[in-house]
Structures are given as C-alpha cells and as structure tokens.
C-alpha cells in the first residue's frame, strides 16, 4: 500500500514546533493502529508532542481520529438520559462505586466503563473484583440489558472502543510520555465520546497523587477536555479536586469496597461523602434532572438497593464477606500534634508495593492488600497512637512500603491547621 505521508516528516514537523494538518493527523492515527508507523517512530512523535504541545484544532482532530479507529456505542434505545463520570486518577479514589448506583436512583442511566490500576493509582475494576463472583467483562448486549433493568453498570471497556488509544497508551506508559496534556485529553475523551454517553462529569485531580501536580496544568487539562466534549455534543463539566492527600481512610481493593458500602449505608468518611454527593449533583444536572436530593438517597437506602442489584447482575454477591490480608503492621505517630500533611503519592506507592496494585499490566493484585488510615490532615494525635495500618498477604513487602511512607506524614505543633479544600473549582 502506498502511504499518504512519511512518519519521519510528521515527527520533524512536531519536533520543529509546527502544526499538523487534519489529513496528517488522520493518517498518523490510522497508520499507527494498522502497524505502518513503528513504535519507535510513534514514541518520538509522542515525545515531540509532550515537549511542544498541540493547538486545540490538532487535539480535536487527534481525538476524532482515535474515535474513528473503533466502534461507537449508542444508548439511545434506552429512552433515558445517560451520564458518566471520569476521574483522572488518584489514591483512595473509590467514588465511582457509590456514585454510579446513586445517580441511577434518579432514573439516569450510568454506563461506567472503567479501567484497572497501573502504578500507584488504583483501578475501579480491581476493587470490584474483590467481591466474590463479580465479573468485569460484559458484552454490549449485557451492558444494555443491565442499564435498562438496573440503571447502572460498571464494567471493562470492550476491545472495540478506541483501539488506537489502547496501543498508544501502552506505548506512552513505557516511554515517559503519559503526562502530555494533548495526549491525556484525547485519550480520555476519545473513549468517553465513543462510549456514547449523553453527558459527562470529569473529576480532574490536582496534587502529589495525581498526574497533574499543579493547579494550572490541571485547569488546562480540564478546559481542553470540556471543550472536546462539548464540540462532540456531550454535555461536559469538570471539577478540579484535591489529590494531595488520599480520599477517605482506605487505599487498596477490598478495603475500598468496604468503605464505599459504608457510604451507601449513609455513613463513611466526610470527604468521600462530600465528593460523591457533589459529583452526583453535577451528573444529574448535566442529564437534565434538577430537583434531586442525592444525600437523601444515601441515607434512606435507595442507592444501596441499586448497588446490590448492580453487583448481583454481574454475578457478584453483595453480602459476601470480603477478602482480608493475612498480615498487618501498624505505623505510629512519632510526636504529639496535628497532622497537617498526609502525602497521597506516598500512600499510593505504599499500597501498590503491599500488593494492591500492579507494576506490569499482566500482574495479579492482592484483594486484601492496602493501607488503612487512622488519622487524616486535621486530626490531633499523640505520640505512639496508630497513624495507619499496612495490609498484605506477603510480609516481605512491609519494608518497601514503610520506605515509601518515610516522609509521608507531617505533624505540626498543636493548634496548627492543615490547608484543606477538597473541591477547588468547577469548569464548564
Ligand atoms: N487516563 C487515560 O485514559 N488516558 C490517559 O492518557 C491518562 C489517564
């Protein structure tokens, strides 16, 4: 086959800070997906994009080309509004678990295609797989049926959705090119637009445990994604939220399911409850439901009913006892005072090293592994009180987890106050 362009010319354009034409972008994505551009060439192009950026028109075309590489789902036959949430990833971020059933209570269908954890950020599917019997892989027909019957589904994205992104993301992961705003925005939005949701709420994380370490970068990513969504006809808003400290009191798999069930039972940590309710309100507003009271649906058990049906529909037993780790070790407070910092990245790396996450995508995760926190920023502690419990089936992992946590906790003299703001901004 005669190729329209030469990969080396495309790389040189971006290397020299030029702008790619729509035809060049379409060809690049198509040629890479079918193997006509080599991994080393695409790596060089990704690095040039990371260093030199892309303008909005290039990002929009890049996204459209990735969507066109695969199938598009269509939920219009459901006859209901649809809404989805996407988080850019963090530590202890289990919000999808209570959120999907909570939104479904109000008659909005939630088709939540989720992923697995890689590195220090957890994956929703890994968490749910700690529920005995639960199945992540559904056919498109099963997904439609569950959306019609239950109203919410959390499952793995099929292989047909944005295949260009699957190949590109795997390459970025091993070439230091994940953290490029044009590449992150197009990767996330190609999947969400191809998924066919009518509205989308983005939770863009800022802080040590997030891809975007500072607010300016996070804001740019959020604005880019909101513009891509709106241009594609998806009603999209974004919240910028704090990921400098873990969400809730757990980072792991089964322990995060347990905490999510507490939220669905009307309890749970205040930050997880606040973000779940706020994201539910945003999703419902975007889907055209204006008078809902999600807090009441957590209190009165309606969200829990949908959760139970959602887990059962995917083969899981929502009442089953969850797996627990065989071994535990406690980390104690070294001084009296107020916890003013508890670093999300350090806790995420510790949970990962304990076995909750994976280093390579083919690795297995331990359902019971992770970190249980006993004190969050703002807590007053005394010397020798437990700060956190480390959990694993493989005790040889404790040492490396403790190393990750060496500077994770800052305790200041009594009376100090931590800087805390969970929801930083809203972008629409
Ligand atoms: N999540 C994605 O799906 N893609 C990225 O590039 C980063 C986070």
């Amino acid at each position: 086959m005669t190729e329209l362009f030469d990969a080396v010319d495309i790389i040189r354009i971006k290397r020299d800070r030029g702008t790619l034409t729509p035809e060049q972008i379409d060809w690049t994505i198509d040629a890479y997906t079918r193997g006509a551009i080599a991994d080393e060439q695409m790596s060089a192009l990704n690095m040039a994009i990371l260093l030199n950026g892309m303008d909005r028109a290039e990002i929009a075309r890049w996204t459209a080309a990735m969507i066109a590489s695969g199938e598009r789902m269509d939920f219009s036959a459901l006859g209901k509004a649809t809404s989805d949430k996407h988080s850019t990833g963090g530590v202890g971020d289990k919000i999808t678990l209570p959120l999907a059933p909570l939104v479904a209570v109000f008659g909005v269908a939630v088709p939540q295609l989720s992923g697995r954890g890689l590195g220090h950020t957890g994956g929703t599917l890994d968490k749910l797989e700690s529920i005995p019997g639960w199945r992540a892989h559904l056919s498109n027909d099963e997904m439609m049926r569950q959306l019609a019957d239950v109203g919410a589904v959390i499952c793995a994205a099929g292989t047909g959705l944005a295949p260009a992104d699957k190949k590109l993301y795997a390459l970025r992961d091993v070439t230091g090119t994940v953290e490029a705003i044009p590449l992150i925005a197009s990767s996330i939005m190609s999947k969400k637009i191809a998924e066919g949701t009518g509205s989308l709420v983005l939770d863009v994380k800022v802080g040590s445990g997030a891809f975007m370490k500072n607010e300016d970068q996070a804001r740019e990513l959020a604005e880019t994604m909101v513009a891509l969504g709106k241009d594609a006809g998806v009603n999209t808003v974004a919240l910028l939220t704090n990921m400098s400290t873990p969400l809730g009191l757990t980072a792991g798999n089964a322990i995060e399911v347990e905490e999510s069930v507490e939220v669905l039972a009307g309890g749970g940590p205040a930050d997880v409850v606040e973000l779940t309710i706020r994201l539910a309100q945003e999703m419902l507003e975007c889907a055209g439901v204006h008078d809902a009271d999600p807090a009441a649906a957590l209190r009165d058990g309606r969200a829990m009913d949908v959760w139970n049906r959602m887990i059962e529909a995917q083969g899981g037993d929502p009442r089953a006892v969850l797996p627990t780790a065989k071994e535990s070790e406690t980390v104690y407070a070294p001084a009296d005072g107020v916890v003013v910092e508890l670093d999300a990245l350090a806790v995420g790396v510790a949970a990962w090293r304990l076995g909750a996450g994976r280093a390579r995508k083919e690795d297995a995760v331990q359902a019971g592994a992770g970190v249980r926190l006993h004190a969050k920023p703002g807590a007053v502690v005394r010397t020798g009180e437990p700060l956190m419990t480390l959990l694993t089936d493989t005790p040889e992992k404790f040492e490396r987890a403790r190393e990750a946590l060496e500077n994770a906790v800052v305790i200041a003299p009594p009376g100090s106050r931590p800087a805390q703001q969970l929801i930083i901004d809203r972008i629409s």
Side-chain angles (χ1 to χ4, degrees), residues 23-299:
E23 295 73 24
Q24 286 169 333
I25 290 174
D26 291 351
W27 177 79
T28 300
I29 296 294
D30 176 57
Y32 181 59
T33 310
R34 61 186 161 78
I37 294 181
D39 278 347
E40 56 270 28
Q41 294 175 312
M42 200 63 185
S43 308
L45 180 59
N46 283 340
M47 188 57 84
I49 293 170
L50 181 138
L51 295 172
N52 296 331
M54 274 180 151
D55 68 25
R56 285 280 165 94
E58 286 178 293
I59 301 172
R61 191 69 180 211
W62 188 272
T63 307
M66 294 219 289
I67 295 168
S69 73
E71 63 176 355
R72 282 187 85 148
M73 298 183 73
D74 179 5
F75 298 119
S76 55
L78 282 175
K80 296 191 202 181
T82 48
S83 193
D84 192 4
K85 187 257 333 187
H86 182 85
S87 157
T88 56
V91 178
D93 186 359
K94 71 275 298 168
I95 302 289
T96 295
L97 276 58
L99 181 63
L102 176 58
V103 171
V105 165
F106 299 94
V108 171
V110 185
Q112 181 78 55
L113 299 181
S114 297
R116 292 182 191 283
L118 195 63
H120 75 275
T121 61
T124 299
L125 301 181
D126 295 329
K127 294 171 199 182
L128 284 167
E129 278 178 348
S130 62
I131 301 174
W134 187 85
R135 205 157 55 86
H137 292 274
L138 300 184
S139 67
N140 288 359
D141 282 351
E142 285 174 319
M143 192 177 170
M144 278 300 261
R145 218 171 310 129
Q146 189 170 327
L147 282 173
D149 295 348
V150 181
V153 59
I154 303 175
C155 65
T159 48
L161 216 64
D165 178 63
K166 290 205 173 58
K167 208 172 161 192
L168 254 180
Y169 192 80
L171 184 69
R172 288 166 55 212
D173 200 37
V174 294
T175 55
T177 50
V178 167
E179 297 89 345
I181 287 175
L183 299 179
I184 298 176
S186 55
S187 165
I188 292 174
M189 294 307 291
S190 62
K191 287 174 287 199
K192 292 293 152 182
I193 296 166
E195 169 200 286
T197 183
S199 59
L200 175 66
V201 177
L202 298 161
D203 181 4
V204 179
K205 302 287 186 198
V206 191
S208 74
F211 280 126
M212 299 290 124
K213 309 290 179 204
N214 73 56
E215 203 178 306
D216 289 346
Q217 288 174 323
R219 194 174 296 279
E220 189 186 333
L221 176 62
E223 285 170 357
T224 307
M225 290 196 290
V226 168
L228 285 172
K230 286 187 170 166
D231 288 352
V234 181
N235 196 4
T236 310
V237 302
L239 297 183
L240 294 191
T241 70
N242 192 341
M243 189 30 74
S244 55
T245 204
L247 263 174
L249 294 169
T250 54
N253 296 309
I255 54 176
E256 290 201 40
V257 173
E258 177 195 297
E259 188 169 271
S260 303
V261 172
E262 284 169 20
V263 173
L264 287 158
D271 56 349
V272 180
V273 175
E274 179 185 347
L275 193 52
T276 302
I277 291 174
R278 176 63 187 270
L279 286 166
Q281 285 163 338
E282 295 286 352
M283 286 171 75
L284 291 163
E285 281 289 325
C286 276
V289 177
H290 305 297
D291 54 357
D293 181 357
L298 289 177
R299 280 194 305 272

Side-chain angles (χ1 to χ4, degrees), residues 380-399:
V380 176
V381 293
R382 302 198 65 123
T383 311
E385 273 182 11
L387 284 181
M388 49 185 110
T389 304
L390 314 185
L391 302 162
T392 185
D393 293 335
T394 32
E396 60 275 17
K397 294 185 187 286
F398 282 129
E399 191 180 336

